[in-house]
């Protein structure tokens, strides 16, 4: 009998963002006054009418299995949303509902990738992109984006890495961790390259409603040809404050959706039934609570950006979307504070947590060691106090 563990899965790294958040939570549980900028979820409760819909489903006994790819009525609501808000026409056969947008991304890569395939990922990258690509037996190819370019793909940077093995480009707009939002012209450039080289686009649009500058445009809406090559990924977590409900979805060509449905039917079966019923109400009914959340995030963003840029040796660009700020710490790398030598973002994160009880996410988690990420998915009061502590710690 052959023993041993999966070599592929042993090489998958853990999430540094979750590790930092867990350490901060443990400190809070121990009575330490920790300000955490690590959260990747809204600090609002799920709107009441959505919670009530789940309770109603429970009361009616709607607790059994659904179709593996999701409730037909939810898929209809998703199709209507994509038509109304994104100018995208899909049928329910093109839609698969999954256990969160991360699960949708996993399914998409599993459906299209083979060994030796390459998937292009922008750096800084959301921590799971590279690992999800590896889980699909493909190779992540990193494109180093520049702060002065808005942390965006450029035509030149993409052309340098496209090869005959390139299977897909992962596009995330608005972006985690940078807050970048791509313009229509920039999306057209990416679409043209994808069409020229017959490359899939996996368009992660989970933060679409959290756009403060310009407008969110789905790359799939730029024409029928690019739509055929695009897998649009979205979900309920960020816009509707439904992170724990675990409902994501994707829309794509019928043959890809069929493969994904088959994968999911064996891996997880259907997503949470009650959460699906609640998601129908979320998509179809009152959107005002979402607008109020966006207004709160905008106020917090404006305060955070202004304050960070007033702190000596720190700087950041103004993110157009999501709820994150990438703080440039390059001017303090090599300095020593209270016995802590700052050689990179992990050192700074540990110093801030240990000395001033502030949790940040080190940029090394996103492949960018000269940055730390701060989330403004926390109260303005916490933001003010946390930034005050950071300023005191490094000045």
């Amino acid at each position: 009998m052959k023993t041993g563990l999966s070599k592929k899965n042993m090489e998958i790294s853990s999430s540094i963002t979750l590790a930092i958040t867990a350490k901060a939570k443990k400190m809070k549980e121990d009575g330490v006054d920790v300000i955490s900028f690590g959260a990747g979820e809204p600090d609002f409760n799920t709107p009441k009418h959505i919670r009530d819909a789940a309770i109603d489903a429970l009361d009616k006994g709607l607790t059994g299995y659904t179709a593996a790819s999701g409730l037909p009525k939810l898929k209809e609501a998703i199709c209507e949303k994509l038509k109304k808000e994104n100018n995208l026409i899909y049928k329910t056969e093109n839609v698969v509902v999954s256990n969160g947008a991360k699960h949708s991304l996993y399914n998409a890569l599993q459906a299209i990738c083979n060994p030796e395939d390459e998937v292009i990922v922008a750096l800084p990258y959301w921590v799971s992109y590279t690992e999800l690509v590896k889980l699909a037996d493909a190779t992540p190819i990193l494109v180093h984006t520049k702060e002065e370019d808005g942390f965006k793909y450029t035509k030149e940077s993409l052309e340098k890495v496209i090869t005959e093995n390139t299977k897909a480009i992962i596009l995330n707009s608005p972006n985690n961790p940078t807050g970048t939002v791509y313009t229509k012209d920039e999306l057209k450039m990416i679409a043209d390259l994808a069409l020229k080289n017959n490359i899939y686009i996996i368009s992660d649009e989970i933060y679409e409603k959290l756009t403060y500058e310009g407008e969110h445009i789905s790359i799939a809406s730029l024409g029928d040809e690019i739509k055929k090559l695009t897998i649009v990924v979205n979900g309920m977590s960020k816009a509707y404050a439904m992170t724990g409900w675990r409902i994501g979805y994707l829309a794509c060509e019928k043959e890809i959706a069929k493969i994904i449905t088959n994968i999911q039917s064996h891996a997880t079966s259907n997503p949470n039934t009650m959460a699906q019923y609640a998601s129908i109400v979320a998509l179809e009914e009152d959107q005002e609570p979402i607008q109020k959340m966006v207004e709160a995030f905008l106020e917090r963003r404006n305060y955070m950006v202004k304050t960070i840029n007033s702190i000596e040796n720190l700087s950041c660009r103004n993110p157009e979307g999501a709820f994150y700020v990438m703080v440039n710490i390059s001017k303090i790398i090599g300095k020593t504070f209270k016995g802590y030598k700052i050689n990179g973002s992990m050192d700074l994160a540990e110093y801030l947590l240990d000395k001033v009880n502030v949790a940040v996410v080190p940029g090394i988690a996103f492949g960018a060691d000269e940055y730390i990420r701060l989330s403004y998915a926390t109260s303005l009061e916490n933001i003010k106090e946390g930034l005050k502590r950071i300023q005191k710690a490094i000045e």
Side-chain angles (χ1 to χ4, degrees):
M1 183 172 70
K2 193 171 184 179
T3 60
L5 303 175
S6 165
K7 293 179 181 178
K8 177 179 76 173
N9 290 298
M10 285 174 67
E11 292 176 1
I12 300 301
S13 60
S14 61
S15 169
I16 294 177
T17 56
L18 293 180
I20 292 290
T21 302
K23 184 176 179 180
K25 284 183 177 178
K26 177 67 168 60
M27 289 173 69
K28 281 185 177 182
E29 289 170 1
D30 292 341
V32 180
D33 178 24
V34 174
I35 301 292
S36 179
F37 289 122
E41 61 180 338
D43 58 316
F44 302 95
N45 197 0
T46 305
K48 187 175 185 304
H49 69 289
I50 301 174
R51 304 197 311 267
D52 288 344
I55 293 169
D56 184 57
L58 283 168
D59 289 342
K60 290 179 177 176
L62 301 174
T63 57
Y65 291 126
T66 71
S69 62
L71 283 166
K73 190 175 180 182
L74 176 53
K75 293 165 78 171
E76 288 169 8
I78 291 167
C79 288
E80 183 60 29
K81 178 261 180 236
L82 292 170
K83 177 182 176 182
K84 182 179 177 182
E85 298 182 2
N86 306 107
N87 196 29
L88 291 170
I89 306 299
Y90 288 105
K91 297 179 180 179
T92 55
E93 64 191 17
N94 302 110
V95 174
V96 180
V97 184
S98 301
N99 299 283
K102 184 185 288 190
H103 188 205
S104 295
L105 290 165
Y106 173 86
N107 284 340
L109 288 160
Q110 292 291 325
I112 66 171
C113 289
N114 293 299
E116 298 185 8
D117 282 346
E118 297 173 348
V119 177
I120 296 172
V121 179
L123 187 160
Y125 50 79
W126 175 53
V127 293
S128 291
Y129 286 144
T130 53
E131 307 311 303
L132 290 171
V133 171
K134 294 174 190 175
L135 283 169
D137 288 318
T139 302
I141 303 298
L142 302 180
V143 171
H144 291 250
T145 64
K146 299 177 181 178
E147 187 173 358
E148 55 265 35
D149 294 330
F151 295 115
K152 296 177 179 179
Y153 291 123
T154 63
K155 184 178 181 182
E156 294 72 25
S157 66
L158 285 172
E159 286 179 333
K160 283 181 182 177
V161 297
I162 291 175
T163 71
E164 62 181 11
N165 291 326
T166 304
K167 176 58 68 77
I169 299 171
I170 293 180
L171 177 67
N172 180 208
S173 177
N175 182 272
N176 174 13
T178 66
T180 289
V181 174
Y182 282 81
T183 67
K184 187 173 184 179
D185 287 344
E186 290 162 344
L187 292 173
K188 188 176 186 306
M189 174 273 293
I190 296 169
D192 289 343
L193 283 175
L195 288 168
K196 178 182 177 182
N197 295 280
N198 197 33
I199 298 169
Y200 287 111
I201 301 288
I202 299 177
S203 184
D204 181 353
E205 303 179 14
I206 190 67
Y207 293 97
E208 68 160 336
K209 291 186 182 293
L210 306 181
T211 302
Y212 319 111
E213 313 288 338
E215 62 175 329
H216 168 76
I217 299 170
S218 177
I219 193 170
S221 69
L222 299 183
D224 289 340
E225 289 186 337
I226 191 61
K227 183 185 170 206
K228 290 178 182 177
L229 284 175
T230 301
I231 301 173
V232 177
V233 174
N234 211 321
M236 311 305 295
S237 293
K238 311 300 183 180
Y240 295 93
M242 294 176 67
T243 50
W245 298 67
R246 309 315 301 135
I247 297 292
Y249 58 85
L250 57 75
C252 56
E253 287 294 282
K254 181 181 176 181
E255 56 266 32
I256 299 175
K258 185 177 180 181
I259 294 170
I260 290 170
T261 298
N262 289 341
I263 292 170
Q264 186 161 296
S265 69
H266 293 291
T268 64
S269 297
N270 65 277
N272 181 286
T273 299
M274 291 70 73
Q276 288 190 68
Y277 282 105
S279 296
I280 295 169
V281 170
L283 291 169
E284 293 184 341
E285 297 187 13
D286 186 15
Q287 303 295 304
E288 187 178 352
I290 286 73
Q291 187 55 41
K292 288 182 177 178
M293 281 192 281
V294 172
E295 290 170 1
F297 285 136
L298 178 58
E299 180 185 13
R300 297 170 186 180
R301 181 205 69 166
N302 291 344
Y303 180 86
M304 182 176 279
V305 169
K306 182 180 178 181
T307 303
I308 288 168
N309 284 316
S310 72
I311 298 175
E312 186 179 357
N313 292 326
L314 295 184
S315 65
C316 67
R317 65 182 294 277
N318 195 37
E320 301 93 354
F323 39 64
Y324 308 106
V325 173
M326 284 293 272
V327 181
N328 189 318
I329 62 167
S330 58
K331 290 182 179 179
I332 63 174
I333 290 177
K335 295 181 182 293
T336 300
F337 300 103
K338 298 178 183 177
Y340 280 74
K341 179 71 179 293
I342 309 301
N343 292 314
S345 59
M346 184 65 81
D347 292 332
L348 182 59
E350 290 179 354
Y351 167 64
L352 292 175
L353 190 54
D354 291 345
K355 291 299 181 181
V356 293
N357 302 331
V358 173
V360 303
V361 182
I364 192 67
F366 315 107
D369 204 21
E370 293 188 339
Y371 295 86
I372 56 174
R373 191 195 75 177
L374 304 188
S375 167
Y376 47 93
T378 186
S379 70
L380 189 57
E381 180 184 4
N382 281 345
I383 291 170
K384 290 179 178 180
E385 174 61 25
L387 292 178
K388 189 184 298 181
R389 294 183 189 181
I390 290 174
Q391 183 170 10
K392 182 180 178 182
I394 68 170
E395 286 190 344

